[in-house]
């Protein structure tokens, strides 16, 4: 009987800890008094919050 193949589940991005997009205020306000914001995405996961699971461990080798 063949074994079912499973895809590895993605893991949380180590650079942003899953908080992939941040809203940053520019410091200026519009005529209604609202702050202008820009969004910044994590460069490692491109705003997804997860990265593909690797089979190779990311540890130092002796």
């Amino acid at each position: 009987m063949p074994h079912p193949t499973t895809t590895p589940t993605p893991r949380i991005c180590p650079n942003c800890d899953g908080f992939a997009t941040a809203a940053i205020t520019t410091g200026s306000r519009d005529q209604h008094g609202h702050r202008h914001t820009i969004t910044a995405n994590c460069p490692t996961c491109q705003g997804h919050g997860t990265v593909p699971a690797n089979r190779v461990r990311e540890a130092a080798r002796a």
Side-chain angles (χ1 to χ4, degrees):
M1 184 157 100
H3 295 288
T5 58
T6 59
T7 58
T9 57
R11 62 186 180 96
I12 294 176
C13 177
N15 286 0
C16 66
D17 291 329
F19 297 98
T21 304
I24 302 168
T25 62
T26 60
S28 62
R29 294 180 183 263
D30 63 6
Q31 63 185 3
H32 299 289
H34 300 119
R35 292 255 186 206
H36 289 275
T37 59
I38 57 172
T39 56
N41 291 331
C42 173
T44 303
C45 64
Q46 287 85 33
H48 294 285
T50 58
V51 292
N54 295 333
R55 293 183 184 258
V56 179
R57 303 238 3 174
E58 296 179 8
R61 296 182 188 239

